[in-house]
Amino acid sequence: NAGVTQTPKFQVLKTGQSMTLQCAQDMNHNSMYWYRQDPGMGLRLIYYSASEGTTDKGEVPNGYNVSRLNKREFSLRLESAAPSQTSVYFCASTKGGADNQPQHFGDGTRLSIL
Amino acid sequence: AQTVTQSQPEMSVQEAETVTLSCTYDTSESNYYLFWYKQPPSRQMILVIRQEAYKQQNATENRFSVNFQKAAKSFSLKISDSQLGDTAMYFCAFMKLGGNNNDMRFGAGTRLTVKP
């Protein structure tokens, strides 16, 4: 089973460039999430989508946009990349709703902004 | 807002010995889940163990067990018979029950090194 698949795994951008990180899950999960992981800070929620057709801001949404393309896919876009967005990005999914379950994570995308 | 604190940035343990990682959290919720995730150098986030707050019995998964103290808002992870493959970052996480937002709040992590 693939679980949660993120692409690309690594990317280097120049300041001001745009980039879309892709995430897809094959577990028929309703809820999907984007986190960033910085040294000494654990994971912080950027945006989430509780169900298909909805998206909401998390803890650190500034500089990002998201699209829940369909139930399987949830993309994260950086319109104008900044060095402060250098981080490791994780996508996660869960069944959601009243039946709360642990989140399943992708393998992460290491993004460097020069 | 919920916060999760891991006060030990780094720890080490000899192979086959026991180690305990600490986690405290702050919340006004009464129903929630707590988790420990392991992140090896491969960067995957792997669920180690979870605890439902309404359960008094401490969760156990093979060599991993927790000491859940709800009143003290403490959730420590004990690893028995440590193995080299346990070397990883360990994250404590909180998730409230119910509602549409199932996002987790993570601690900053504890880097555990198991020495041969």
Side-chain angles (χ1 to χ4, degrees):
Chain A
N1 289 338
V4 179
T5 302
Q6 290 182 235
T7 55
K9 296 189 183 304
F10 302 93
Q11 185 69 47
V12 178
L13 295 177
K14 294 181 179 179
T15 298
Q17 287 185 315
S18 61
M19 171 77 188
T20 299
L21 307 185
Q22 306 287 351
C23 175
Q25 52 89 11
D26 61 2
M27 295 172 283
N28 200 35
H29 283 169
N30 293 308
S31 301
M32 298 184 73
Y33 308 82
W34 276 105
Y35 293 90
R36 60 179 288 173
Q37 183 180 25
D38 301 297
M41 299 188 73
L43 278 74
R44 293 181 293 166
L45 183 67
I46 305 171
Y47 269 93
Y48 68 98
S49 172
S51 60
E52 186 178 357
T54 69
T55 61
D56 286 284
K57 295 179 180 179
E59 189 181 357
V60 288
N62 291 344
Y64 305 95
N65 286 301
V66 291
S67 296
R68 184 73 182 268
L69 303 171
N70 47 55
K71 192 171 186 178
R72 290 186 63 248
E73 299 172 287
F74 187 41
S75 62
L76 178 71
R77 183 162 178 84
L78 288 70
E79 289 291 351
S80 180
S84 62
Q85 294 177 304
T86 293
S87 189
V88 180
Y89 291 84
F90 285 93
C91 178
S93 71
T94 188
K95 186 175 180 181
D99 185 17
N100 284 17
Q101 295 293 321
Q103 295 179 3
H104 296 256
F105 287 84
D107 290 343
T109 296
R110 184 176 295 278
L111 184 61
S112 296
I113 316 297
L114 305 178
Chain B
Q2 293 81 21
T3 58
V4 179
T5 302
Q6 293 178 248
S7 59
Q8 306 151 314
E10 294 189 22
M11 295 191 71
S12 63
V13 63
Q14 291 294 133
E15 193 175 9
E17 293 188 348
T18 295
V19 64
T20 298
L21 309 183
S22 300
C23 173
T24 58
Y25 57 95
D26 185 24
T27 184
S28 58
E29 303 285 339
S30 56
N31 295 317
Y32 49 87
Y33 281 120
L34 294 163
F35 305 90
W36 279 98
Y37 277 87
K38 168 185 177 181
Q39 187 180 41
S42 66
R43 214 169 61 198
Q44 289 179 300
M45 291 289 285
I46 302 166
L47 179 66
V48 174
I49 198 166
R50 73 176 186 179
Q51 174 83 41
E52 291 90 338
Y54 63 86
K55 291 187 178 179
Q56 293 186 335
Q57 186 173 8
N58 290 325
T60 300
E61 288 288 342
N62 300 316
R63 298 182 295 106
F64 299 88
S65 61
V66 298
N67 183 5
F68 174 47
Q69 302 289 328
K70 190 173 184 179
K73 297 180 181 176
S74 171
F75 183 61
S76 61
L77 174 70
K78 185 172 80 171
I79 306 174
S80 304
D81 186 24
S82 297
Q83 300 176 359
L84 297 178
D86 295 334
T87 292
M89 283 288 289
Y90 287 81
F91 292 96
C92 179
F94 171 101
M95 182 173 76
K96 67 179 182 179
L97 272 175
N100 287 326
N101 180 6
N102 303 116
D103 72 286
M104 292 179 166
R105 299 288 167 153
F106 289 84
T110 296
R111 183 176 302 279
L112 177 67
T113 302
V114 180
K115 298 179 179 180

Short mmCIF file of all heavy atoms in Angstrom, two decimals, chain A residues 9-10 31 33 35 37 40 42-43 45 48 50 59 90 96-97 100-103 105 107-108 110, chain B residues 33 35 37 39 43-45 47 50 91 95-108:
data_model
loop_
_atom_site.label_atom_id
_atom_site.label_comp_id
_atom_site.label_asym_id
_atom_site.label_seq_id
_atom_site.Cartn_x
_atom_site.Cartn_y
_atom_site.Cartn_z
N LYS A 9 10.56 14.90 -3.51
CA LYS A 9 11.21 14.63 -2.23
C LYS A 9 12.19 15.74 -1.86
O LYS A 9 12.44 15.99 -0.68
CB LYS A 9 11.93 13.29 -2.28
CG LYS A 9 11.00 12.10 -2.46
CD LYS A 9 11.74 10.80 -2.27
CE LYS A 9 10.83 9.62 -2.53
NZ LYS A 9 9.62 9.63 -1.68
N PHE A 10 12.79 16.36 -2.84
CA PHE A 10 13.73 17.44 -2.63
C PHE A 10 13.48 18.53 -3.67
O PHE A 10 13.12 18.22 -4.80
CB PHE A 10 15.20 16.98 -2.75
CG PHE A 10 15.58 15.88 -1.83
CD1 PHE A 10 15.50 14.55 -2.24
CD2 PHE A 10 16.03 16.15 -0.55
CE1 PHE A 10 15.85 13.53 -1.39
CE2 PHE A 10 16.39 15.12 0.31
CZ PHE A 10 16.29 13.82 -0.10
N SER A 31 -9.79 13.63 5.74
CA SER A 31 -9.05 14.81 6.17
C SER A 31 -7.59 14.73 5.75
O SER A 31 -6.96 13.67 5.83
CB SER A 31 -9.12 14.94 7.70
OG SER A 31 -10.47 15.04 8.11
N TYR A 33 -3.71 17.16 5.67
CA TYR A 33 -2.99 18.20 6.40
C TYR A 33 -1.64 18.49 5.75
O TYR A 33 -1.02 17.58 5.18
CB TYR A 33 -2.73 17.76 7.85
CG TYR A 33 -3.96 17.28 8.57
CD1 TYR A 33 -4.43 15.99 8.41
CD2 TYR A 33 -4.66 18.15 9.41
CE1 TYR A 33 -5.57 15.57 9.07
CE2 TYR A 33 -5.80 17.72 10.07
CZ TYR A 33 -6.24 16.43 9.89
OH TYR A 33 -7.37 16.01 10.54
N TYR A 35 2.03 20.11 7.08
CA TYR A 35 2.84 20.59 8.19
C TYR A 35 4.21 21.02 7.66
O TYR A 35 4.67 20.53 6.63
CB TYR A 35 3.10 19.46 9.20
CG TYR A 35 1.90 18.97 9.97
CD1 TYR A 35 1.12 17.93 9.49
CD2 TYR A 35 1.56 19.53 11.20
CE1 TYR A 35 0.04 17.46 10.21
CE2 TYR A 35 0.48 19.06 11.93
CZ TYR A 35 -0.28 18.03 11.42
OH TYR A 35 -1.35 17.56 12.14
N GLN A 37 8.26 21.25 9.24
CA GLN A 37 9.10 20.84 10.36
C GLN A 37 10.40 21.62 10.30
O GLN A 37 11.16 21.51 9.34
CB GLN A 37 9.39 19.33 10.31
CG GLN A 37 10.22 18.86 11.49
CD GLN A 37 10.51 17.37 11.45
OE1 GLN A 37 10.53 16.76 10.39
NE2 GLN A 37 10.73 16.77 12.60
N GLY A 40 14.19 22.01 16.09
CA GLY A 40 13.85 22.43 17.44
C GLY A 40 12.42 22.87 17.63
O GLY A 40 12.07 23.39 18.69
N GLY A 42 9.50 20.89 16.22
CA GLY A 42 8.49 19.89 15.91
C GLY A 42 7.76 20.22 14.62
O GLY A 42 8.26 20.94 13.76
N LEU A 43 6.56 19.70 14.48
CA LEU A 43 5.75 19.94 13.29
C LEU A 43 4.70 21.00 13.60
O LEU A 43 4.06 20.96 14.65
CB LEU A 43 5.04 18.66 12.85
CG LEU A 43 5.85 17.68 12.01
CD1 LEU A 43 6.87 16.95 12.86
CD2 LEU A 43 4.94 16.68 11.32
N LEU A 45 1.26 23.03 11.92
CA LEU A 45 0.23 22.90 10.90
C LEU A 45 0.14 24.16 10.06
O LEU A 45 0.01 25.27 10.59
CB LEU A 45 -1.11 22.62 11.57
CG LEU A 45 -2.28 22.38 10.63
CD1 LEU A 45 -2.09 21.08 9.86
CD2 LEU A 45 -3.59 22.34 11.42
N TYR A 48 -5.18 22.75 6.64
CA TYR A 48 -5.78 21.43 6.64
C TYR A 48 -7.08 21.47 5.83
O TYR A 48 -7.63 22.54 5.55
CB TYR A 48 -6.04 20.93 8.06
CG TYR A 48 -7.11 21.67 8.82
CD1 TYR A 48 -8.41 21.19 8.90
CD2 TYR A 48 -6.80 22.85 9.50
CE1 TYR A 48 -9.39 21.87 9.60
CE2 TYR A 48 -7.77 23.53 10.21
CZ TYR A 48 -9.06 23.05 10.27
OH TYR A 48 -10.02 23.72 10.97
N ALA A 50 -10.58 19.39 6.18
CA ALA A 50 -11.34 18.42 6.96
C ALA A 50 -12.09 17.44 6.05
O ALA A 50 -12.31 16.29 6.43
CB ALA A 50 -12.32 19.13 7.90
N GLU A 59 -1.77 26.77 12.00
CA GLU A 59 -0.99 27.62 12.90
C GLU A 59 -0.11 28.63 12.15
O GLU A 59 0.08 29.75 12.61
CB GLU A 59 -0.12 26.71 13.77
CG GLU A 59 0.60 27.37 14.92
CD GLU A 59 1.45 26.36 15.69
OE1 GLU A 59 1.42 25.15 15.37
OE2 GLU A 59 2.15 26.79 16.62
N PHE A 90 5.59 18.09 5.45
CA PHE A 90 4.93 16.80 5.56
C PHE A 90 3.45 16.95 5.26
O PHE A 90 2.79 17.86 5.75
CB PHE A 90 5.08 16.21 6.96
CG PHE A 90 6.43 15.65 7.24
CD1 PHE A 90 7.41 16.43 7.85
CD2 PHE A 90 6.74 14.34 6.89
CE1 PHE A 90 8.67 15.91 8.11
CE2 PHE A 90 8.00 13.82 7.15
CZ PHE A 90 8.96 14.60 7.75
N GLY A 96 -10.81 11.09 9.84
CA GLY A 96 -11.50 12.31 10.21
C GLY A 96 -12.85 12.07 10.83
O GLY A 96 -13.28 10.93 11.03
N GLY A 97 -13.51 13.18 11.17
CA GLY A 97 -14.84 13.10 11.75
C GLY A 97 -14.80 12.61 13.18
O GLY A 97 -13.81 12.77 13.88
N ASN A 100 -11.96 9.63 15.30
CA ASN A 100 -10.59 10.15 15.24
C ASN A 100 -9.57 9.04 15.23
O ASN A 100 -9.65 8.11 16.03
CB ASN A 100 -10.34 11.06 16.45
CG ASN A 100 -11.01 12.39 16.29
OD1 ASN A 100 -11.89 12.54 15.46
ND2 ASN A 100 -10.59 13.35 17.07
N GLN A 101 -8.65 9.14 14.33
CA GLN A 101 -7.59 8.15 14.21
C GLN A 101 -6.26 8.88 14.05
O GLN A 101 -6.23 10.04 13.65
CB GLN A 101 -7.83 7.26 12.99
CG GLN A 101 -9.07 6.39 13.08
CD GLN A 101 -8.94 5.34 14.15
OE1 GLN A 101 -7.87 4.76 14.34
NE2 GLN A 101 -10.01 5.10 14.88
N PRO A 102 -5.16 8.20 14.38
CA PRO A 102 -3.87 8.84 14.17
C PRO A 102 -3.67 9.21 12.72
O PRO A 102 -4.21 8.57 11.81
CB PRO A 102 -2.87 7.77 14.60
CG PRO A 102 -3.64 6.84 15.45
CD PRO A 102 -5.04 6.86 14.94
N GLN A 103 -2.89 10.23 12.50
CA GLN A 103 -2.61 10.65 11.15
C GLN A 103 -1.53 9.77 10.52
O GLN A 103 -0.61 9.32 11.19
CB GLN A 103 -2.18 12.11 11.14
CG GLN A 103 -3.30 13.03 11.57
CD GLN A 103 -2.90 14.48 11.61
OE1 GLN A 103 -1.79 14.84 11.25
NE2 GLN A 103 -3.82 15.33 12.03
N PHE A 105 1.45 9.78 7.73
CA PHE A 105 2.31 10.80 7.14
C PHE A 105 2.99 10.32 5.87
O PHE A 105 3.30 9.13 5.74
CB PHE A 105 3.39 11.21 8.14
CG PHE A 105 2.89 12.05 9.26
CD1 PHE A 105 2.32 11.48 10.38
CD2 PHE A 105 2.98 13.44 9.20
CE1 PHE A 105 1.83 12.26 11.43
CE2 PHE A 105 2.50 14.23 10.23
CZ PHE A 105 1.93 13.64 11.35
N ASP A 107 6.47 10.88 3.34
CA ASP A 107 7.89 10.84 3.66
C ASP A 107 8.55 12.21 3.72
O ASP A 107 9.73 12.32 4.02
CB ASP A 107 8.63 9.96 2.65
CG ASP A 107 8.28 8.50 2.82
OD1 ASP A 107 7.75 8.14 3.90
OD2 ASP A 107 8.51 7.71 1.88
N GLY A 108 7.79 13.24 3.40
CA GLY A 108 8.32 14.60 3.51
C GLY A 108 8.95 15.11 2.23
O GLY A 108 9.42 14.34 1.38
N ARG A 110 11.90 17.99 1.30
CA ARG A 110 12.89 18.93 1.82
C ARG A 110 13.02 20.06 0.82
O ARG A 110 13.44 19.85 -0.32
CB ARG A 110 14.24 18.25 2.02
CG ARG A 110 15.28 19.18 2.66
CD ARG A 110 16.59 18.46 2.95
NE ARG A 110 16.44 17.43 3.94
CZ ARG A 110 16.43 17.63 5.25
NH1 ARG A 110 16.60 18.86 5.73
NH2 ARG A 110 16.29 16.63 6.09
N TYR B 33 -6.63 12.51 22.54
CA TYR B 33 -5.65 11.45 22.34
C TYR B 33 -4.25 12.02 22.56
O TYR B 33 -4.00 13.20 22.29
CB TYR B 33 -5.68 10.92 20.90
CG TYR B 33 -6.78 9.96 20.56
CD1 TYR B 33 -7.70 10.27 19.55
CD2 TYR B 33 -6.89 8.73 21.19
CE1 TYR B 33 -8.70 9.39 19.20
CE2 TYR B 33 -7.90 7.85 20.83
CZ TYR B 33 -8.79 8.19 19.85
OH TYR B 33 -9.79 7.30 19.49
N PHE B 35 -0.12 10.85 21.59
CA PHE B 35 0.64 9.95 20.73
C PHE B 35 2.14 10.15 20.94
O PHE B 35 2.60 11.24 21.31
CB PHE B 35 0.37 10.24 19.24
CG PHE B 35 -1.07 10.21 18.85
CD1 PHE B 35 -1.84 11.35 18.90
CD2 PHE B 35 -1.65 9.03 18.42
CE1 PHE B 35 -3.17 11.33 18.52
CE2 PHE B 35 -2.99 9.00 18.04
CZ PHE B 35 -3.74 10.16 18.09
N TYR B 37 5.30 9.61 18.31
CA TYR B 37 5.75 9.29 16.96
C TYR B 37 7.27 9.18 16.97
O TYR B 37 7.97 9.91 17.67
CB TYR B 37 5.35 10.37 15.95
CG TYR B 37 3.95 10.26 15.42
CD1 TYR B 37 2.89 10.84 16.09
CD2 TYR B 37 3.70 9.58 14.23
CE1 TYR B 37 1.60 10.75 15.59
CE2 TYR B 37 2.41 9.48 13.71
CZ TYR B 37 1.37 10.08 14.40
OH TYR B 37 0.09 9.99 13.90
N GLN B 39 10.67 9.33 14.47
CA GLN B 39 11.17 9.77 13.17
C GLN B 39 12.64 9.38 13.03
O GLN B 39 13.53 10.05 13.52
CB GLN B 39 11.01 11.28 12.99
CG GLN B 39 11.36 11.75 11.59
CD GLN B 39 11.21 13.25 11.42
OE1 GLN B 39 11.57 14.03 12.29
NE2 GLN B 39 10.65 13.66 10.29
N ARG B 43 13.39 9.90 7.90
CA ARG B 43 12.45 11.04 7.94
C ARG B 43 10.99 10.62 8.03
O ARG B 43 10.12 11.47 8.18
CB ARG B 43 12.68 11.94 6.72
CG ARG B 43 12.46 13.42 6.98
CD ARG B 43 12.96 14.22 5.82
NE ARG B 43 12.29 13.91 4.58
CZ ARG B 43 12.78 14.23 3.38
NH1 ARG B 43 13.94 14.83 3.28
NH2 ARG B 43 12.12 13.94 2.28
N GLN B 44 10.70 9.33 7.92
CA GLN B 44 9.30 8.91 8.07
C GLN B 44 8.79 9.22 9.47
O GLN B 44 9.54 9.19 10.43
CB GLN B 44 9.18 7.40 7.85
CG GLN B 44 9.37 6.94 6.43
CD GLN B 44 9.26 5.44 6.36
OE1 GLN B 44 10.03 4.73 6.99
NE2 GLN B 44 8.29 4.95 5.62
N MET B 45 7.52 9.50 9.58
CA MET B 45 6.87 9.67 10.87
C MET B 45 6.11 8.38 11.16
O MET B 45 5.15 8.05 10.47
CB MET B 45 5.91 10.85 10.84
CG MET B 45 6.59 12.20 10.73
SD MET B 45 7.46 12.66 12.25
CE MET B 45 6.08 13.11 13.30
N LEU B 47 4.04 6.00 13.85
CA LEU B 47 3.31 5.97 15.11
C LEU B 47 3.86 4.86 16.00
O LEU B 47 3.93 3.71 15.59
CB LEU B 47 1.82 5.75 14.85
CG LEU B 47 0.94 5.67 16.10
CD1 LEU B 47 0.92 7.01 16.82
CD2 LEU B 47 -0.47 5.24 15.72
N ARG B 50 -0.28 5.10 21.24
CA ARG B 50 -1.26 6.14 21.50
C ARG B 50 -2.05 5.81 22.75
O ARG B 50 -2.17 4.66 23.16
CB ARG B 50 -2.19 6.30 20.32
CG ARG B 50 -3.21 5.18 20.15
CD ARG B 50 -4.13 5.52 19.01
NE ARG B 50 -5.21 4.55 18.87
CZ ARG B 50 -6.16 4.63 17.96
NH1 ARG B 50 -6.16 5.62 17.11
NH2 ARG B 50 -7.11 3.72 17.89
N PHE B 91 8.62 12.30 18.91
CA PHE B 91 7.73 13.43 19.08
C PHE B 91 6.48 13.00 19.86
O PHE B 91 5.85 11.99 19.54
CB PHE B 91 7.28 13.99 17.73
CG PHE B 91 8.39 14.64 16.95
CD1 PHE B 91 9.07 13.93 15.98
CD2 PHE B 91 8.75 15.95 17.20
CE1 PHE B 91 10.09 14.53 15.25
CE2 PHE B 91 9.77 16.55 16.48
CZ PHE B 91 10.44 15.84 15.51
N MET B 95 -4.03 15.39 20.29
CA MET B 95 -5.13 15.60 19.36
C MET B 95 -6.44 15.55 20.15
O MET B 95 -6.70 14.57 20.86
CB MET B 95 -5.15 14.53 18.28
CG MET B 95 -6.25 14.72 17.25
SD MET B 95 -6.11 13.56 15.87
CE MET B 95 -6.71 12.05 16.62
N LYS B 96 -7.25 16.59 20.03
CA LYS B 96 -8.51 16.58 20.77
C LYS B 96 -9.52 15.70 20.06
O LYS B 96 -9.46 15.49 18.84
CB LYS B 96 -9.05 17.99 20.94
CG LYS B 96 -9.50 18.67 19.67
CD LYS B 96 -10.05 20.07 19.99
CE LYS B 96 -10.55 20.74 18.72
NZ LYS B 96 -11.10 22.08 19.00
N LEU B 97 -10.47 15.18 20.80
CA LEU B 97 -11.49 14.31 20.25
C LEU B 97 -12.66 15.12 19.72
O LEU B 97 -13.01 16.16 20.28
CB LEU B 97 -12.01 13.36 21.32
CG LEU B 97 -11.28 12.04 21.50
CD1 LEU B 97 -11.84 11.28 22.68
CD2 LEU B 97 -11.35 11.20 20.25
N GLY B 98 -13.26 14.61 18.64
CA GLY B 98 -14.45 15.23 18.11
C GLY B 98 -14.15 16.44 17.24
O GLY B 98 -13.03 16.91 17.16
N GLY B 99 -15.17 16.93 16.57
CA GLY B 99 -15.00 18.08 15.70
C GLY B 99 -14.42 17.69 14.36
O GLY B 99 -14.04 16.55 14.14
N ASN B 100 -14.33 18.66 13.49
CA ASN B 100 -13.82 18.39 12.15
C ASN B 100 -12.32 18.54 12.06
O ASN B 100 -11.69 17.99 11.17
CB ASN B 100 -14.48 19.33 11.13
CG ASN B 100 -15.92 18.95 10.87
OD1 ASN B 100 -16.25 17.78 10.88
ND2 ASN B 100 -16.75 19.93 10.64
N ASN B 101 -11.78 19.31 12.93
CA ASN B 101 -10.34 19.55 12.85
C ASN B 101 -9.60 18.53 13.70
O ASN B 101 -9.65 18.57 14.92
CB ASN B 101 -10.01 20.96 13.34
CG ASN B 101 -8.52 21.22 13.26
OD1 ASN B 101 -7.76 20.40 12.76
ND2 ASN B 101 -8.09 22.34 13.78
N ASN B 102 -8.96 17.60 13.03
CA ASN B 102 -8.21 16.57 13.74
C ASN B 102 -6.73 16.86 13.74
O ASN B 102 -5.92 15.94 13.75
CB ASN B 102 -8.46 15.21 13.08
CG ASN B 102 -9.92 14.88 13.03
OD1 ASN B 102 -10.50 14.76 11.96
ND2 ASN B 102 -10.52 14.75 14.18
N ASP B 103 -6.36 18.14 13.70
CA ASP B 103 -4.93 18.42 13.63
C ASP B 103 -4.29 18.09 14.95
O ASP B 103 -4.91 18.09 16.01
CB ASP B 103 -4.68 19.88 13.27
CG ASP B 103 -5.01 20.82 14.40
OD1 ASP B 103 -6.20 21.01 14.64
OD2 ASP B 103 -4.09 21.32 15.05
N MET B 104 -3.00 17.80 14.85
CA MET B 104 -2.22 17.46 16.02
C MET B 104 -1.33 18.62 16.43
O MET B 104 -0.89 19.40 15.58
CB MET B 104 -1.33 16.25 15.72
CG MET B 104 -2.09 14.96 15.51
SD MET B 104 -0.93 13.66 15.15
CE MET B 104 -1.98 12.26 15.36
N ARG B 105 -1.03 18.69 17.69
CA ARG B 105 -0.02 19.61 18.20
C ARG B 105 1.17 18.77 18.65
O ARG B 105 0.99 17.84 19.43
CB ARG B 105 -0.55 20.43 19.36
CG ARG B 105 -1.74 21.29 18.96
CD ARG B 105 -1.33 22.44 18.09
NE ARG B 105 -2.47 23.08 17.44
CZ ARG B 105 -2.52 24.34 17.07
NH1 ARG B 105 -1.47 25.14 17.26
NH2 ARG B 105 -3.60 24.83 16.47
N PHE B 106 2.33 19.14 18.15
CA PHE B 106 3.54 18.35 18.41
C PHE B 106 4.48 19.07 19.36
O PHE B 106 4.57 20.31 19.35
CB PHE B 106 4.29 18.09 17.11
CG PHE B 106 3.62 17.11 16.20
CD1 PHE B 106 2.62 17.53 15.34
CD2 PHE B 106 3.97 15.77 16.20
CE1 PHE B 106 1.99 16.63 14.48
CE2 PHE B 106 3.35 14.87 15.36
CZ PHE B 106 2.36 15.30 14.50
N GLY B 107 5.20 18.29 20.14
CA GLY B 107 6.32 18.82 20.89
C GLY B 107 7.51 19.02 19.97
O GLY B 107 7.48 18.64 18.80
N ALA B 108 8.57 19.62 20.51
CA ALA B 108 9.76 19.93 19.71
C ALA B 108 10.62 18.70 19.44
O ALA B 108 11.51 18.75 18.61
CB ALA B 108 10.58 21.00 20.40
#
